[in-house]
Amino acid sequence: MNPSTQPVRRFFEAYKAHDLDAMVAMCDFNADMDYVPFEVARRQRVVRGTGKVHGIGKTIWSALIDAFPDLSNDITWIDADGQGNVAVEVHIGGTQAKAFGTIPAASQRYWVPHLFTFKVNDRGLITGISAFWDGADMNRQLGYAEVD
Amino acid sequence: MNTSNQVVAPAGEAFIAGFLSHDFASALALATPDARFEILPLGVAGSLAIEGKSFFADLSAAFPDLGFTLTHQFTTSDGSTCARVRIEGTQAGDFRGLVNQEKHMDLEGGWLIRTQAGKVTSVRVFWCQNMLYRRFAVKRNDQITITA
């Protein structure tokens, strides 16, 4: 097993356990975060899921865990190159108990495939996280047809 | 004996290079005859030779100034290539249910190319359909012909 995949596996185990501190502890203090589909249109600007793990990362993950109390994940494939780049195919989902962003709670469950890429440094810390998934699929499963 | 010093790109990276240079035939030549192609947000799941070719033809026809930008890629130890690709273009025709509004769109996605024995066996594209809908002012994902 490529050693770069180990901190990423531990990251998803911590995510499954809703242990936000452990998730963040797997990341370098300055780790970058880019949740590409995460864009929320406001009146004057668009809020994107791009920033730092210790900022927007913690905010998004804690909001997801709060809105989906049984939030879970299942890694279906993970591999890495020799330079600390890790790719992961993972399903993430849960049952909605509270509003999440503009999506009101309708007690529906979502389970959506994601593609994550991570960058892991030589100290075994995650320095970058990017993720892609279909937000329309997630919204549909939650019973929400509005695009925003 | 191979006397060339030329480094051969992994099959997945060569596939992406062919696709990005609008040479779908060259990309397809790197794949097995039964290679799979999936863009689940578009409801596309089938053969690379048929559905993949059709997707590329439809996209090129609807967006004549179509451009692709590769922002990051790496190939893992099992030969899978993970690429981050931005698609841009100005709409000049209907595309998969999206009526032509002559709007410019840009859409970033994650591409996962799986290979076996140096041949592409599947291409899976992860993007957010709601991001695409926003570019075309679609308000509901169950009524995509109605725009603002």
Side-chain angles (χ1 to χ4, degrees), chain B residues 28-104:
Chain B
L28 193 60
L30 299 164
T32 60
D34 60 348
R36 297 270 306 163
F37 182 72
E38 286 185 4
I39 307 180
L40 295 182
L42 278 182
V44 173
S47 148
L48 179 63
I50 298 170
E51 276 82 3
K53 188 176 177 182
S54 167
F55 163 75
F56 186 72
D58 290 355
L59 191 67
S60 301
F63 301 91
D65 62 351
L66 186 69
F68 301 104
T69 307
L70 177 67
T71 52
H72 181 57
Q73 77 173 350
F74 59 93
T75 295
T76 65
S77 61
D78 71 357
S80 301
T81 294
C82 191
R84 182 170 177 155
V85 176
R86 176 188 293 271
I87 300 175
E88 285 183 82
T90 311
Q91 195 176 17
D94 294 354
F95 176 70
R96 305 279 170 138
L98 291 165
V99 295
N100 178 22
Q101 299 175 74
E102 300 179 353
K103 287 181 184 292
H104 183 83

Side-chain angles (χ1 to χ4, degrees), chain A residues 34 36-37 39 77 79-81 85-86 89 114-115 117 130 132-136 139-140 145-148, chain B residues 41 74-78 80 82 84 109-110 112 114 124 126-131 134-135 138-141:
Chain A
D34 191 5
V36 176
E39 52 177 29
W77 172 78
D79 200 11
D81 67 4
N85 293 295
V86 183
E89 264 192 299
H114 291 58
L115 178 65
T117 62
S130 295
F132 301 90
W133 69 91
D134 183 10
N139 289 9
R140 257 192 306 271
E146 304 289 330
V147 170
D148 287 307
Chain B
F74 59 93
T75 295
T76 65
S77 61
D78 71 357
S80 301
C82 191
R84 182 170 177 155
L112 183 60
R114 306 299 298 272
R124 214 166 177 216
F126 295 75
W127 74 42
C128 176
Q129 194 71 0
N130 272 355
M131 291 180 76
R134 275 186 206 105
R135 308 305 184 254
V138 172
K139 291 297 178 191
R140 290 180 61 91
N141 61 39

Side-chain angles (χ1 to χ4, degrees), chain A residues 72-141:
Chain A
S72 191
N73 65 72
D74 182 26
I75 293 175
T76 52
W77 172 78
I78 180 169
D79 200 11
D81 67 4
Q83 279 79 49
N85 293 295
V86 183
V88 187
E89 264 192 299
V90 56
H91 276 74
I92 298 176
T95 311
Q96 192 175 14
K98 293 182 183 175
F100 178 69
T102 56
I103 309 170
S107 301
Q108 298 297 306
R109 178 176 165 77
Y110 84 98
W111 190 245
V112 172
H114 291 58
L115 178 65
F116 275 77
T117 62
F118 291 80
K119 184 76 176 177
V120 176
N121 67 16
D122 54 10
R123 292 184 293 134
L125 290 173
I126 294 165
T127 59
I129 303 175
S130 295
F132 301 90
W133 69 91
D134 183 10
D137 186 19
M138 176 179 174
N139 289 9
R140 257 192 306 271
Q141 292 183 36

Side-chain angles (χ1 to χ4, degrees), chain A residues 8-19 73 75:
Chain A
V8 174
R9 284 189 184 277
R10 288 201 293 274
F11 172 88
F12 279 107
E13 284 164 12
Y15 198 4
K16 193 182 283 190
H18 300 180
D19 188 344
N73 65 72
I75 293 175

